[in-house]
Amino acid sequence: AEFAGKMIESGKLDLDLNYSLAKGMMKGENKVVLRQFKLGEKVPAPDAMSLPLDLAIALLRDVNGVIDLKLNVSGDVNDPDFSAGGIILKAFVNLITKAVAAPFKLLGAIIPGGDSGEFDAIDFRAGRADLAPPEQEKLAQLVTALVQRPALSLDIPSGFNAVSDRPALQEAKVDAEISRRLGENS
């Protein structure tokens, strides 16, 4: 509650922590698995971070309700400002920030055979509503990723690119008119 400004309503936490210390440098490998994790009601917490935790949880939770994270951390224990908890908190905040800042990159990285950058855009051919086969495959992979994350929904606004769509639509209209006139003369 102090960190998130919300209570934890339910869930199970499994940790596998592996830390080493060599020449004043700490390295930690944290495997964190949350099962059926659910945030509860908001609570007053003046030091709570303002993070979109609900979105992050929806992005990270799989179809079985499991969030499986690997948080690697490191730090110089000789640094007067060193704090193991602070380093772990920073890694956690970075993970959440990256997840919500680039959700399609995260979705691309979690599906087998996915490319972490391929969901940034689904490109339509100029002036057309149908997709080329590579774009159809990207869309199918996006559907797979969304099915694996049932708490997510995706709203897709329609779009128009005046630079590329207008000439293609004008050409299609001219071609249709020529075909219509040739058909009248047969």
Side-chain angles (χ1 to χ4, degrees):
E2 187 176 314
F3 163 72
K6 287 187 172 187
M7 297 295 291
I8 295 174
E9 185 173 307
S10 63
K12 181 180 177 186
L13 171 67
D14 294 320
L15 295 172
D16 183 6
L17 309 174
N18 184 13
Y19 282 79
S20 63
L21 187 62
K23 297 183 181 176
M25 291 301 294
M26 180 201 72
K27 287 179 115 180
E29 297 173 3
N30 303 293
K31 182 169 172 57
V32 180
V33 179
L34 296 159
R35 289 179 175 73
Q36 304 306 322
F37 181 75
K38 187 175 179 184
L39 289 174
E41 64 186 57
K42 281 190 164 202
V43 294
D47 295 330
M49 297 186 146
S50 178
L51 294 170
L53 291 175
D54 293 324
L55 175 58
I57 290 168
L59 283 165
L60 296 169
R61 182 184 294 143
D62 70 14
V63 72
N64 298 314
V66 176
I67 299 173
D68 190 347
L69 305 172
K70 291 183 178 90
L71 290 173
N72 296 329
V73 296
S74 62
D76 183 353
V77 296
N78 297 317
D79 183 339
D81 295 329
F82 175 81
S83 162
I87 291 172
I88 294 169
L89 180 62
K90 184 177 179 183
F92 181 71
V93 169
N94 285 343
L95 172 77
I96 290 174
T97 303
K98 285 179 184 177
V100 298
F104 293 110
K105 186 173 184 175
L106 175 69
L107 289 174
I110 61 173
I111 62 170
D115 177 1
S116 64
E118 72 182 6
F119 296 135
D120 288 347
I122 304 289
D123 294 321
F124 285 80
R125 294 181 260 200
R128 309 255 317 246
D130 59 326
L131 291 170
E135 298 303 304
Q136 290 176 10
E137 178 61 29
K138 282 171 44 175
L139 191 57
Q141 288 182 337
L142 179 58
V143 167
T144 299
L146 290 172
V147 166
Q148 293 175 1
R149 301 296 188 260
L152 293 178
S153 65
L154 182 63
D155 292 327
I156 303 173
S158 59
F160 175 78
N161 183 328
V163 173
S164 60
D165 287 334
R166 182 173 286 126
L169 290 170
Q170 289 170 336
E171 183 179 334
K173 189 172 182 178
V174 168
D175 289 347
E177 182 63 21
I178 291 171
S179 295
R180 186 188 67 76
R181 287 185 184 188
L182 288 174
E184 288 178 359
N185 294 332
S186 323

